[in-house]
């Protein structure tokens, strides 16, 4: 059987003699943990970027690397990076590959560094700090902590396939973020292999005032400024009590205002999710009282005294009609179910999600303008949203769209993204709340950062003078 595979994005090749020189340098240390087998190269040619599923159905992958390595220590990562850097070979860090924007795609070839063999955990129980190597799996870390009466509180929908290093690199956030914050609120210390191969350590402290917080440069850097090898994270006692509650409101606006009142009174629910009418119907079709309305689910958790006080605030401020625990239990049972994108792609349906954020003063405007802009792209079947991460200052809107393109799916996909990103920028919103930039969002990065783009470019040039780390990202 013949098998032909096209590389959709591959922009430049690395000369074969340089790849051989790289392998000669690292093979004596890594042995079988350095591979150029075709099956390995194909496996690391993509992440979870939904449009790449459509390419795959046509025998196309985003881009093949020239080699894949699986280091087991920071020193091995440093060896790989310094060898690649001295030879001018691109380096692409790879965690769980659950990124949804093509961030880990080895666009220029070179070497993919899979961190998953770096998976040790150490707990400093008295200090409420856990130290995890970058490749530690998210679910494994949370289970490890739960067995010891603790929680990190970072539960992204991709808990099972993602890694700690990936969370920090993408500035990820989880379903329980309204209480626990995003990963940036949890990181106390970091260890990074810089693009030159040097190792930088930012040790953990409860707080420090020793110059600018340089560690934060690497949170959200998506592999473009170095490879995160170790992270120190703050942990919390496992909640003593949980209270589940749900409400129906007549409109999305009304429900958002109710949540704003709850937060303004000082309550911090772990989970708050407000589903617009379409999403209420999609996700909660079994609950008749919610038909044609907007459903909000809430989870309060923590020590009993605090949670009960918060429940009082919820009861006073939420308004609408309480619907009890059952819709929340339904969400808890189904919250990791993400079958739609892979199921729809073979049917020719393009399906994706786009998360943005705005302050309270613009969030409703953003909701309507985004829906209008995306909904008017030819071929779009529906656009829906829920608000899922809340702050005293505003909220994240998490949109879902599906469409049947008349022509090329990629062209259709990019038209939808363009409409979405423009509407967000026009409303003064953040173009990404937690998925990051990757390859899909790069056309709008300059506009989103404004004068900050030049700062990013200078930091990148200073840390990575040979431009080897994740080239193509953000460019
Ligand atoms: C079904 C599904 C649900 C999701 N839900 C959420 C969610 O609830 N919240 C959320 O925030 N995200 C979510 N995501 C997106 C994704 O899971 C996150 O971005 C996650 O943090 C990526 O982790 P990863 O280990 O898979 O990273 P990868 O996909 O492997 O890499 C992501 C980026 O980080 C870089 N990178 C990875 N590891 C390192 C490292 N050690 N050092 C430097 N750079 C590195 C890569 O080069 C790439 O640019 C979801 C994705 C899917 C598929």
């Amino acid at each position: 059987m013949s098998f032909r595979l096209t590389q959709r994005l591959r922009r430049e090749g690395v000369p074969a003699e340089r790849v051989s020189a790289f392998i000669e340098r690292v093979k004596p240390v890594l042995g079988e943990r350095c591979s150029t087998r075709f099956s390995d190269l194909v496996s690391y040619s993509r992440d979870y970027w939904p449009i790449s599923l459509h390419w795959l159905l046509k025998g196309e992958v985003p881009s093949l690397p020239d080699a894949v390595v699986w280091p087991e220590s920071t020193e091995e990562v440093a060896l790989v990076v310094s060898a690649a850097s001295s030879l001018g070979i691109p380096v692409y860090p790879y965690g769980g590959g659950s990124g949804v924007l093509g961030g880990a795609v080895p666009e220029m070839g070179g070497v993919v560094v899979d961190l998953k063999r770096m998976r040790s955990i150490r707990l400093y129980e008295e200090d409420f700090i856990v130290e995890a190597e970058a490749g530690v799996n998210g679910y494994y870390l949370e289970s490890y902590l739960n067995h010891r009466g603790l929680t990190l509180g970072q539960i992204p929908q991709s808990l099972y396939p993602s890694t700690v290093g990936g969370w920090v690199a993408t500035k990820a956030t989880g379903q329980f973020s309204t209480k626990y914050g995003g990963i940036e609120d949890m990181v106390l210390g970091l260890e990074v292999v810089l693009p030159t191969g040097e190792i930088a350590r930012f040790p953990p402290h409860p707080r420090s005032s020793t110059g600018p917080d340089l560690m934060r440069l690497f949170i959200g850097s998506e592999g473009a400024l170095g490879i995160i090898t170790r992270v120190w994270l703050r942990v919390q006692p496992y909640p003593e009590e949980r209270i589940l509650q749900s409400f129906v409101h007549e409109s999305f606006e009304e429900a958002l205002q109710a949540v704003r009142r709850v937060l303004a009174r000082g309550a911090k629910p772990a989970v708050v999710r407000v589903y617009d009418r379409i999403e209420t119907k999609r996700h909660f079709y079994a609950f008749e009282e919610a038909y044609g309305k907007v459903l909000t689910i809430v989870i309060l958790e923590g020590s009993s005294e605090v949670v009960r006080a918060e429940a009082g605030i919820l009861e006073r401020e939420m308004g609408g009609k309480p619907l009890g625990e059952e819709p929340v239990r339904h969400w808890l049972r189904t919250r990791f179910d993400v079958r739609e994108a892979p199921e729809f792609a073979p049917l020719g349906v393009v399906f994706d999600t786009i998360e943005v954020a705005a302050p309270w003063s613009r969030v409703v405007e953003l909701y309507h303008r985004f829906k209008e802009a995306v909904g008017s792209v030819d071929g779009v079947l529906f656009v829906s949203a829920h608000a899922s991460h809340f702050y005293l200052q505003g909220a994240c809107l998490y949109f879902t769209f599906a469409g049947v393109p008349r022509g090329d799916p990629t062209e259709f996909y990019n038209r939808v993204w363009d409409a979405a990103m423009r509407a967000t920028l026009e409303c003064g919103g953040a173009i990404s709340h937690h998925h990051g930039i990757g390859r899909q969002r790069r056309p709008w990065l300059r506009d989103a950062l404004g004068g900050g783009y030049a700062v990013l470019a200078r930091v990148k040039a200073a840390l990575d003078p040979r431009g080897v780390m994740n080239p193509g990202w953000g460019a």
Side-chain angles (χ1 to χ4, degrees):
M1 191 177 86
S2 77
F3 181 66
R4 199 172 154 271
L5 194 141
T6 319
Q7 299 181 62
R8 180 91 188 197
L9 289 190
R10 176 80 173 235
R11 284 208 264 163
E12 280 166 33
V14 180
E17 61 278 10
R18 273 204 255 160
V19 177
S20 306
F22 169 78
I23 288 166
E24 255 172 52
R25 289 266 297 274
V26 302
K27 198 86 179 168
V29 176
L30 300 184
E32 284 301 297
R33 290 184 285 111
C34 169
S35 169
T36 52
R37 271 190 304 268
F38 184 64
S39 54
D40 289 329
L41 305 185
V42 173
S43 301
Y44 288 89
S45 63
R46 57 187 290 270
D47 58 7
Y48 210 87
W49 194 8
I51 193 62
S52 67
L53 271 178
H54 292 264
W55 301 346
L56 205 58
L57 290 165
K58 291 194 288 178
E60 296 177 342
V61 293
S63 183
L64 293 171
D66 294 292
V68 182
V69 296
W70 293 269
E72 287 183 344
S73 68
T74 303
E75 290 66 32
E76 287 187 358
V77 174
L79 167 75
V80 166
V81 175
S82 69
S85 161
S86 63
L87 291 160
I89 293 178
V91 177
Y92 293 88
Y94 201 98
S98 71
V100 284
L101 300 158
V105 165
E107 191 174 358
M108 313 276 188
V111 55
V112 166
V113 182
D114 183 344
L115 279 305
K116 283 194 287 294
R117 291 182 77 95
M118 291 183 60
R119 48 181 184 235
S120 76
I121 300 179
R122 188 166 173 190
L123 180 64
Y124 302 89
E125 210 161 346
E126 188 181 356
D127 299 329
F128 288 100
I129 293 176
V130 69
E131 176 186 330
E133 281 189 305
V136 169
N137 172 269
Y139 171 72
Y140 182 77
L141 178 62
E142 184 59 20
S143 307
Y144 170 95
L145 293 170
N146 293 171
H147 281 110
R148 289 158 180 81
L150 297 165
T151 179
L152 181 60
Q154 165 80 354
I155 318 284
Q157 195 187 24
S158 55
L159 183 70
Y160 293 85
S162 58
T163 63
V164 170
W167 290 350
V168 178
T170 57
K171 204 175 179 189
T173 196
Q175 296 161 339
F176 288 58
S177 72
T178 302
K179 178 181 174 74
Y180 297 102
I183 194 72
E184 70 279 11
D185 300 304
M186 300 163 192
V187 176
L188 295 174
L190 274 188
E191 179 186 79
V192 190
V193 172
L194 299 173
T196 48
E198 296 152 283
I199 300 169
R201 271 195 196 100
F202 303 94
H205 299 291
R207 186 175 190 274
S208 78
S209 172
T210 28
D213 195 349
L214 296 174
M215 174 187 86
R216 297 208 163 253
L217 268 181
F218 300 93
I219 304 177
S221 62
E222 296 187 46
L225 300 181
I227 300 191
I228 297 154
T229 45
R230 189 180 307 274
V231 186
W232 287 268
L233 299 157
R234 101 183 164 199
V235 297
Q236 318 244 1
Y238 192 80
E240 188 182 17
E241 187 169 340
R242 258 188 177 180
I243 293 180
L244 316 182
Q245 189 51 281
S246 65
F247 302 86
V248 280
H249 290 90
E250 293 301 321
S251 71
F252 197 54
E253 290 82 338
E254 206 184 292
L256 291 181
Q257 280 310 317
V259 175
R260 183 175 171 277
R261 285 195 301 274
V262 168
L263 296 180
R265 291 292 307 275
K268 276 212 159 202
V271 176
V272 190
R273 298 170 76 88
V274 177
Y275 295 87
D276 75 359
R277 283 209 180 91
I278 300 181
E279 296 218 352
T280 296
K281 201 166 165 188
R282 262 180 62 211
H283 298 297
F284 299 94
Y285 46 83
F287 300 92
E288 272 179 38
E289 293 106 311
Y291 283 3
K293 301 200 191 309
V294 165
L295 183 77
T296 300
I297 60 165
V298 182
I299 298 180
L300 300 168
E301 67 175 38
S303 64
S304 297
E305 298 94 315
V306 174
V307 164
R308 284 179 196 173
E310 288 180 324
I313 295 177
L314 205 65
E315 202 180 315
R316 277 194 300 281
E317 301 294 346
M318 273 306 282
K321 183 170 182 256
L323 220 60
E325 293 190 354
E326 209 35 55
V328 194
R329 292 198 187 286
H330 169 75
W331 175 76
L332 284 167
R333 281 192 299 270
T334 54
R335 68 193 159 128
F336 295 116
D337 185 352
V338 287
R339 279 171 301 177
E340 284 137 321
E343 274 179 6
F344 285 155
L347 305 173
V349 178
V350 176
F351 184 97
D352 199 3
T353 58
I354 303 178
E355 26 61 66
V356 296
W360 288 113
S361 54
R362 311 242 10 215
V363 74
V364 172
E365 177 193 357
L366 175 57
Y367 170 71
H368 290 297
R369 283 178 67 173
F370 188 113
K371 281 194 71 166
E372 205 180 295
V374 171
S376 60
V377 174
D378 188 31
V380 167
L381 297 173
F382 77 83
V383 196
S384 62
H386 59 264
S388 47
H389 306 271
F390 287 90
Y391 310 87
L392 189 53
Q393 289 69 35
C396 160
L397 293 176
Y398 191 98
F399 291 93
T400 298
F401 72 87
V404 180
R406 289 185 204 285
D408 176 29
T410 310
E411 215 180 280
F412 166 78
Y413 187 68
N414 288 337
R415 260 188 286 127
V416 169
W417 269 87
D418 191 48
M421 295 296 95
R422 280 174 197 278
T424 306
L425 288 168
E426 280 161 21
C427 291
I431 62 165
S432 173
H433 176 265
H434 57 267
H435 286 162
I437 300 301
R439 282 172 170 70
Q440 185 59 31
R441 274 193 172 101
R442 60 188 168 190
W444 303 279
L445 184 60
R446 270 174 203 268
D447 285 346
L449 294 184
Y453 189 85
V455 178
L456 177 62
R458 279 181 220 155
V459 169
K460 168 77 175 163
L463 288 182
D464 187 10
R466 303 205 64 180
V468 292
M469 287 304 310
N470 201 348
W473 175 86

